[in-house]
Amino acid sequence: MNRMNTTRFLTATAAALLLCTQAQAGPPDPGDPGPLTVSRDEYNLGDTVFHPVGFPGPGVELNANVYYPADLSQGPYPLIIYLHGRHATCYLGGSAILAWPCTGGFQSIPSYLGYEYMQEVLASWGYIVVSIGANGINAQDNNVFDLGAQARAELIQKHLDLWNDWNSPGGAPPFDTLFSGHVDLQNVGTMGHSRGGEGVAKHYLYNQGLGSPYGIVAVLPLAPVDFNRPDVTNVPLEVILPYCDGDVSDLQGVHLVDDVRYTPGDLTPKHTTLVMGANHNHFNTIWTPGGWPAGTADDWLAFVGGGSSDAWCGTVPGNHRLTPAEQRGTGKAYMNGFFRRYIGGEDFSGLWKGDVPPPPSAMTTEIYQSYLPPDSPGTRLDVNRLLSAADLSVNFQGGAVTEDGLNPYDLCGGELPQPQHCLSGQSTARQPHTTPSARSSRRGLSQNRFGWDDPSAFLENDLPGVDVSGLGVLQFRAAVNYTDGRNAGDQDFTVTLTDGSGSSSSTTISANSGSLYFPPGQIPSGRPVPKIFLNTVRLPLSSFPMVDLTNIQSIRFDFNAQPSGALLMSDIQFAD
Amino acid sequence: MLRIVSGIALAAFAVIGLPQAAQAQAANGRITQVKAVSPNTVDVEVTSEREFPVLDSVVTLHIGDKSYTVSHSPESGSLNTLIFSVPASDLTAGANSGAEAWIDYSGQGNGLRWNLGKLSASTIGKK
């Protein structure tokens, strides 16, 4: 049983300067370091000491890298678990292999050390942040049907059991009483990368199935797989997706949000964060070229045929790739910020709804944040869920749906008899919302597919005089159909609200949102980009000043900003 | 019962030393062993000079229009070899029909592919 300890000091002066700068420059930046001095520790209880039920192989390691406030007396502090994804496990010189435990001179590749850049910052805000090792699962998970999801869930739960012991009055080795009484196990957040992303989803359900001994209050899958389609409900959920992912390049993790967005009575928010220049691996420093002697890759360049020549994700002049440091900036901002928002209760001025630009720490502005509100009258009023053919003529509020000049005008991607995919002749990697899952036959996101050839075309949802005065925006999710030649570039249209007295007020998409961009990437190639990804478009109700928000009678989309076009749309709603 | 075979004469495409981008192009691999592990299931061992990267997406063996995603590495952990679990009847049917076999990472559209050629009785060790 091993333990290593170091203490790192974010100096009080630096922290004070930082807080001062924040106060002068605007809203707090979730990626900035906090005021607390942090310590670092590792524990390693052995390479093969844990045995997930029915999982093959000699056993799984119980080790982790821990960052925590050096002064634990101000706790108890929330616990955050990070779980890395699938990667080579052992190395010798420049060679990597997939085996466990490492023998014959091979040493372990410490994927669990790859998130220190986030751990240290989050700990400085008063969190105990634990990044656990899962090489023993990676070495065997393709040999079990669920591809390791349950084993990962059990591994997380085992670590929480250990922390429960360390939190007890008597403590336990190797920490003895260091953490006794200082860990808040009813405020636990989980972040999993890639297969670890499905792992944290599965773990949420596993812990629930055990009677919720631990309070899992925020779940964040990062570039996740979603092979088994677990439904994570009743907990704040954020899925971060890298547009230039060269591994899980179909961005199948978007299903984690799409599948649960209309769970009745779910009072928690769901988010997606699309990072336009990010790849899969650079969120983990150990997986990043130069970060470890073996097993590293820039996944877009290494695994995508012709990827280097792509205008957006490739290396040609003018590309939009993020450097590893920039990509980790988005990690610090949006992952740490998510836990600070939903565990720490910090607001961040609408960042999680996409109402403000990415903070400076994100190091890019090319991020699209989507928000699906809780199922509560104070946060959401559904106008049209666009789930079945009936929704094309009667909406969720019982109002008529009318259109003119739209062709096609149908639904795709959802349950039968809808076609499985919305774009014919395009790879599923370009259609994340409907991409299939390895261990589930579940369908994807139902989308309204339509286009127009004339700027007189419109789509209108009548409403029975709804009161939305307690809500803040009209929103929907949409994407520009890049396969339809009627789109010459970014899209735009006019939205008009009309009230019971006949008063109307209008705004345009472009005045409020950049989400209707033409998906970037080189269309003729067989690459995973461009992609159809439905981002949330939010129109503040303050943009409709001339209408009575207590009595809205219709929402009309006039497709008059461009001569022609084609969109995919879902989830029309009023929201907070 | 199937027997072990090796040395199928399919040329492998060496990519060692090529730039990263070039590694994403199709390569060749070969079936080096077929081993019965139960009355109905065989382990199909595939080897390539180009490593099969350890990815989060699912490495998949295709035989004609069927695909197989349960696999494991050899004890050595070598990334040049994968062992897939395949129903024996599917493998035999694939060999009888001369089905094309290949490996990719399922659904990713990223172009990673290892061609194994057309199956035959000799490639699966039945002759």
Side-chain angles (χ1 to χ4, degrees), chain A residues 31 432 556:
Chain A
R556 180 171 163 124

Side-chain angles (χ1 to χ4, degrees), chain A residues 351-439:
Chain A
L351 181 64
W352 301 104
K353 296 174 183 172
D355 290 344
V356 297
S361 67
M363 301 180 73
T364 176
T365 57
E366 292 177 331
I367 293 175
Y368 294 94
Q369 182 72 25
S370 288
Y371 168 61
L372 294 156
D375 183 16
S376 161
T379 54
R380 193 178 91 204
L381 186 142
D382 291 323
V383 173
N384 201 328
R385 295 180 171 183
L386 294 164
L387 297 177
S388 67
D391 295 337
L392 296 177
S393 53
V394 180
N395 62 41
F396 193 73
Q397 297 297 326
V401 182
T402 54
E403 58 85 16
D404 188 49
L406 298 184
N407 178 32
Y409 177 67
D410 63 6
L411 294 178
C412 54
E415 300 298 327
L416 288 168
Q418 296 180 33
Q420 185 174 6
H421 303 293
C422 293
L423 309 185
S424 60
Q426 295 292 300
S427 73
T428 57
R430 291 179 166 192
Q431 306 183 68
H433 295 282
T434 60
T435 197
S437 299
R439 297 294 184 257

Side-chain angles (χ1 to χ4, degrees), chain A residues 426-503:
Chain A
Q426 295 292 300
S427 73
T428 57
R430 291 179 166 192
Q431 306 183 68
H433 295 282
T434 60
T435 197
S437 299
R439 297 294 184 257
S440 172
S441 59
R442 199 167 174 174
R443 287 293 191 103
L445 179 71
S446 176
Q447 299 156 64
N448 188 189
R449 175 174 53 186
F450 60 86
W452 63 97
D453 301 286
D454 186 287
S456 65
F458 72 89
L459 172 63
E460 182 167 320
N461 276 270
D462 290 340
L463 297 167
V466 297
D467 181 354
V468 296
S469 59
L471 298 170
V473 302
L474 169 66
Q475 69 173 36
F476 53 86
R477 292 202 291 169
V480 173
N481 182 348
Y482 67 86
T483 66
D484 194 312
R486 290 175 290 184
N487 286 313
D490 297 350
Q491 266 300 346
D492 192 13
F493 58 87
T494 300
V495 179
T496 302
L497 296 188
T498 301
D499 66 19
S501 69
S503 293

Side-chain angles (χ1 to χ4, degrees), chain B residues 51-72:
Chain B
E51 291 183 344
F52 301 102
V54 183
L55 299 183
D56 289 82
S57 51
V58 188
V59 66
T60 304
L61 169 65
H62 299 267
I63 297 176
D65 60 359
K66 296 189 174 182
S67 56
Y68 309 94
T69 55
V70 174
S71 69
H72 62 278

